[in-house]
């Protein structure tokens, strides 16, 4: 019996966190796992927090990941990783996008983006830092940042034997498939 694995994906509204989670879940289902996924939107349209929880194994009874239970925390934005770090297992792994999105209070000048967020995360957990924005920019479309991070997650979880190309093609508009497949591979190679 395969142990149930728990993946927490967090980001900010508009970053494609939910699409990446859906592709992840569909790929895992195609590979024969029982998969449960939940999603939480916190004012996503205004740049608020978005999180999805994906759990997979032979038989999964709940999509909910409690504090200290996530095998992997994938953060699409640096501060979000810090916000959700308490959900990671003591021996869990963080995949964090080295990318900052200022919240509304920061944009209004009422607060400042905290310094050293990535260093704090690195000191508390096994962390892989991905410059997904740079990779997406090199590919010519910032919107593929989420698929770069999906590729990094797949590599971090040793899930490369699943047919991700098929799953990405099933979820992406045809004219964007090639760039998303390239983003996925670049993310895998970034780990």
């Amino acid at each position: 019996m395969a142990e149930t694995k728990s993946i927490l994906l967090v980001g900010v509204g508009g970053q494609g966190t939910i699409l990446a989670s859906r592709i992840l879940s569909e790929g895992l289902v195609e590979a024969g796992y029982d998969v449960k996924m939940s999603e939480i939107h916190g004012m996503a349209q205004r740049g608020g927090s978005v999180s999805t929880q994906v759990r997979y194994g032979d038989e999964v009874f709940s999509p909910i990941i409690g504090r200290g239970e996530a095998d992997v925390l994938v953060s699409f934005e640096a501060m979000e990783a810090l916000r959700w770090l308490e959900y990671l297992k003591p021996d869990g792994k963080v995949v964090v996008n080295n990318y900052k999105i200022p919240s509304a209070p920061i944009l209004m000048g009422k607060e400042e983006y905290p310094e050293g967020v990535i260093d704090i995360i690195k000191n508390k957990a096994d962390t892989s830092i991905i410059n997904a924005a740079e990779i997406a920019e090199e590919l010519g479309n910032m919107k593929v940042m989420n698929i770069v991070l999906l590729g990094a997650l797949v590599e971090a979880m040793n899930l490369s034997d699943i047919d991700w190309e098929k799953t990405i093609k099933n979820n992406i508009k045809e004219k964007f498939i090639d760039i998303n497949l390239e983003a996925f591979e670049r993310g895998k190679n970034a780990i």
Side-chain angles (χ1 to χ4, degrees):
M1 176 181 252
E3 177 187 356
T4 299
K5 296 288 186 182
S6 301
I7 303 171
L8 179 60
L9 300 100
V10 300
V12 173
Q15 285 195 286
T17 309
I18 293 172
L19 175 61
S21 301
R22 286 186 180 151
I23 293 171
L24 173 65
S25 296
E26 187 178 312
L28 292 168
V29 167
E30 286 290 321
Y33 291 107
D34 184 26
V35 180
K36 300 283 188 289
M37 175 184 154
S38 68
E39 48 187 80
I40 299 168
H41 310 251
M43 296 180 62
Q45 296 83 359
R46 296 184 185 174
S49 292
V50 174
S51 67
T52 61
Q53 301 180 355
V54 177
R55 301 187 73 225
Y56 69 96
D58 286 342
E59 190 171 16
V60 179
F61 298 101
S62 169
I64 305 301
I65 300 171
R67 287 180 172 83
E69 294 180 354
D71 293 283
V72 177
L73 167 63
V74 182
S75 182
F76 290 48
E77 196 276 338
M79 188 65 194
E80 290 299 314
L82 192 56
R83 187 185 322 269
W84 289 90
L85 199 57
E86 66 184 316
Y87 283 80
L88 191 68
K89 283 181 174 176
D91 61 342
K93 184 172 182 63
V94 176
V95 176
V96 60
N97 186 11
N98 191 10
Y99 188 70
K100 298 176 183 176
I101 298 177
S103 64
I106 293 170
L107 289 173
M108 291 186 298
K110 293 182 177 178
E111 295 178 15
E112 291 186 15
Y113 198 98
E115 293 292 324
V117 170
I118 295 289
D119 289 336
I120 294 168
I121 297 164
K122 281 172 39 183
N123 287 334
K124 293 185 176 185
D126 178 10
T127 303
S128 294
I129 302 163
I130 307 297
N131 291 315
E134 286 180 19
I135 294 170
E137 192 171 26
E138 288 169 12
L139 293 171
N141 188 336
M142 291 297 282
K143 290 185 176 179
V144 300
M145 205 173 3
N146 62 338
I147 303 301
V148 172
L149 289 162
L150 177 64
L153 168 63
V154 163
E155 191 66 25
M157 293 292 291
N158 292 320
L159 294 169
S160 293
D161 57 335
I162 295 173
D163 186 356
W164 295 107
E165 183 174 330
K166 175 184 171 192
T167 309
I168 289 170
K169 286 180 176 176
N170 287 345
N171 286 279
I172 302 290
K173 289 181 183 175
E174 188 173 336
K175 66 180 180 179
F176 298 116
I177 287 174
D178 289 344
I179 191 171
N180 277 277
L181 292 175
E182 178 67 21
F184 182 78
E185 288 302 318
R186 294 282 302 271
K188 282 177 59 181
N189 294 332
I191 285 287

